[in-house]
Amino acid sequence: MRAENTLEFDEKAIQGMDLLFHHYWILRAEHPEWYQLIREREKVLRRYINEKFGLRLIVHQHFIKLEKIPVEPERWMGIQHFQEPMDYAIFCCALSFLEGKSVDEQFLLSDLCQEIQADYPGDSDLDWTLYIHRKSLIRSVKILMEFQLIRTIDGDIGRFDHNEEQEVLYEATIYSRYFMRTYPEDFMNYTHWSELLQEDWKLNQEDERRKRVYRKLFFSPGLHRMDQQDPDFLYIRNYRNRLSEDIDKHSDYNLHVYKNTAFLSASDPRQYQQLFPNAKASTDMILQLSKHLHEHLEHFKPKENGEIVMTEGELDEVLATLRGQFEAGWSKYFREKSTNAIRIELIEAMKDWMMVEVEEMSSLIKIKPLLGVLTGTFPADFEGGEKQ
């Protein structure tokens, strides 16, 4: 009887899958209760994740990792702490350095710096006397520590900020050799990042459409209908009830399907989840922008796919109107910004939630249907606000 229960996709399995989807990996030493929960439901999790997503679940004696491969890479999928391409290049060079280290082997920051300089693939050489290069290294090392690929034995990387001669003693961990994915071919045989995605789909040709849709729904804020023949969106439309029942049974999410967009919502939000709306000041303004567009569709008529196309000047006019109505309730940070600066910052925030795209050549702003799903405003008795 006990063996049968472990084959059911119960609440523990639902929680285990959610943990896998929201964490790069589950370290046994850090979260033993999470690790044990997933181990107990390993069979049902592995079967469901492989069938619906076509993803690989790795269970190791020290960690559990779900290799999350998106259908298309998005800007918000990177390491948020990184600021420049150099950060990623230095980070990868550091990973290469760690491959040559045994578990618990100690090394100095100067050794790491020397190896990174020798392997760095950039057009210009790294120079640790340059402040921007040292800051990039610091960001990369901090991420190595955050993922627990190295641990500090003595010293402080922060001091490298002002002194390139600063020394720190580190130790390689058991996790350092498992951070990168393994590939069926030598990594050097790939000439473009798109080939890595193509390689994954070679292994997932069976039910590829379903796996694409599940990955889009679970990995992204939502997905939009590109045109009338969008195959992924047609799949959601045609199998909406089946998808909704399956997602409801195997997760704590609810499927929402509109004419031009589809997304999942959390019925029981957890602290580690990133949800919209959130507590950021920009969220209030995005909700106010959505409400304004809803109320003035005669001026901003959506295209057939639900997009609203605006110029920078048109969006500035809308933001100026919102400023006149709601500025007293905005955070000091935004009250002190110019309308132009607010537009730039809100666009960046909306890009991360797949609510806007900007055409590089024309600078036209394409407001996506996902923005219109939620609206918000201040209470009717808000001082300086609209009277509802």
Side-chain angles (χ1 to χ4, degrees):
M1 184 70 179
R2 189 173 179 179
E4 289 180 3
N5 288 336
T6 61
L7 295 178
E8 296 177 0
F9 211 99
D10 57 8
E11 286 299 320
K12 281 192 173 183
I14 290 174
Q15 183 183 354
M17 190 170 79
D18 202 59
L19 290 169
L20 289 169
F21 274 83
H22 284 89
H23 296 83
Y24 184 79
W25 49 16
I26 307 296
L27 304 184
R28 185 176 187 176
E30 186 176 23
H31 292 291
E33 71 286 0
W34 292 359
Y35 180 92
Q36 185 60 31
L37 182 148
I38 295 170
R39 281 302 304 266
E40 290 176 0
R41 297 298 184 269
E42 178 183 346
K43 286 187 177 180
V44 292
L45 285 169
R46 188 183 298 278
R47 182 175 61 196
Y48 183 76
I49 289 171
N50 178 63
E51 177 186 345
K52 303 297 183 180
F53 299 88
L55 297 174
R56 183 183 177 207
L57 178 63
I58 300 171
V59 177
H60 187 276
Q61 63 173 325
H62 295 294
F63 66 88
I64 299 176
K65 176 185 176 184
L66 176 64
E67 292 191 336
K68 295 174 277 291
I69 305 171
V71 176
E72 297 174 0
E74 302 288 348
R75 50 175 271 140
W76 44 268
M77 290 180 178
I79 298 174
Q80 299 303 309
H81 185 68
F82 284 172
Q83 300 175 9
E84 306 288 343
M86 179 184 290
D87 299 353
Y88 287 96
I90 290 176
F91 182 73
C92 290
C93 290
L95 291 177
S96 177
F97 170 81
L98 289 173
E99 280 192 349
K101 299 298 176 184
S102 57
V103 178
D104 298 334
E105 181 177 350
Q106 296 183 354
F107 59 91
L108 294 169
L109 176 61
S110 56
D111 298 330
L112 177 63
C113 289
Q114 185 176 351
E115 288 295 322
I116 290 174
Q117 271 185 316
D119 294 341
Y120 187 71
D123 295 331
S124 56
D125 295 335
L126 287 174
D127 183 353
W128 302 127
T129 65
L130 296 177
Y131 179 74
I132 58 173
H133 289 190
R134 295 200 305 276
K135 289 294 287 185
S136 184
L137 177 78
I138 290 172
R139 288 192 292 269
S140 300
V141 169
K142 285 184 175 179
I143 292 300
L144 290 173
M145 292 190 292
E146 185 177 314
F147 281 111
Q148 300 194 36
L149 307 182
I150 61 174
R151 64 174 64 94
T152 304
I153 302 301
D154 186 42
D156 180 8
I157 184 63
R159 296 177 182 174
F160 189 71
D161 192 337
H162 300 291
N163 179 14
E164 69 271 18
E165 300 297 327
Q166 179 65 38
E167 199 63 277
V168 185
L169 180 63
Y170 292 109
E171 186 175 88
T173 70
I174 183 67
Y175 313 116
S176 60
R177 59 191 59 200
Y178 297 103
F179 182 82
M180 291 290 287
R181 282 181 58 210
T182 55
Y183 294 93
E185 294 187 28
D186 188 323
F187 194 79
M188 298 302 293
N189 291 338
Y190 301 102
T191 58
H192 193 266
W193 61 262
S194 61
E195 296 176 31
L196 300 179
L197 294 179
Q198 293 170 7
E199 196 71 47
D200 175 60
W201 289 117
K202 289 180 182 178
L203 304 174
N204 284 292
Q205 294 179 355
E206 184 179 353
D207 299 319
E208 178 181 336
R209 181 66 56 206
R210 180 180 66 200
K211 293 171 182 175
R212 284 175 57 88
V213 165
Y214 268 81
R215 291 191 197 185
K216 283 185 176 183
L217 287 172
F218 278 80
F219 290 173
S220 302
L223 64 153
H224 299 104
R225 182 175 67 89
M226 304 304 294
D227 52 48
Q228 292 184 346
Q229 301 303 318
D230 184 333
D232 290 348
F233 206 84
L234 284 174
Y235 182 94
I236 294 175
R237 277 283 184 80
N238 293 336
Y239 298 99
R240 174 177 180 171
N241 292 338
R242 188 184 303 178
L243 281 169
S244 183
E245 290 175 6
D246 184 71
I247 291 170
D248 182 64
K249 180 180 177 181
H250 295 91
S251 76
D252 286 328
Y253 300 106
N254 300 307
L255 174 65
H256 303 267
V257 182
Y258 293 86
K259 178 183 177 183
N260 296 304
T261 189
F263 62 93
L264 300 182
S265 67
S267 55
D268 185 21
R270 292 185 168 88
Q271 188 175 3
Y272 55 75
Q273 295 172 338
Q274 296 185 36
L275 302 174
F276 184 90
N278 53 35
K280 293 183 178 180
S282 59
T283 299
D284 290 345
M285 302 173 69
I286 292 172
L287 292 171
Q288 292 164 8
L289 171 61
S290 175
K291 188 171 191 299
H292 182 90
L293 295 178
H294 268 283
E295 294 174 343
H296 297 84
L297 289 178
E298 70 276 9
H299 300 303
F300 306 105
K301 195 167 185 179
K303 295 167 58 179
E304 191 277 331
N305 63 358
E307 289 180 352
I308 294 176
V309 181
M310 308 173 69
T311 64
E312 292 180 349
E314 288 173 331
L315 183 52
D316 282 349
E317 288 181 9
V318 173
L319 293 176
T321 300
L322 294 177
R323 183 193 287 275
Q325 296 174 334
F326 304 119
E327 184 179 28
W330 290 357
S331 67
K332 181 181 178 182
Y333 176 80
F334 280 107
R335 289 200 307 269
E336 295 178 347
K337 280 185 172 292
S338 67
T339 301
N340 179 69
I342 291 175
R343 166 174 46 81
I344 292 172
E345 185 142 346
L346 288 189
I347 284 177
E348 291 304 302
M350 289 189 289
K351 282 181 179 178
D352 287 340
W353 289 105
M354 297 180 68
M355 294 177 175
V356 72
E357 291 179 4
V358 179
E359 292 185 356
E360 293 185 10
M361 299 294 293
S362 63
S363 295
L364 286 175
I365 301 163
K366 298 161 68 174
I367 305 292
K368 310 297 284 186
L370 202 55
L371 174 69
V373 171
L374 294 176
T375 69
T377 189
F378 291 128
D381 58 355
F382 165 71
E383 186 177 349
E386 293 181 305
K387 298 299 182 183
Q388 301 294 327

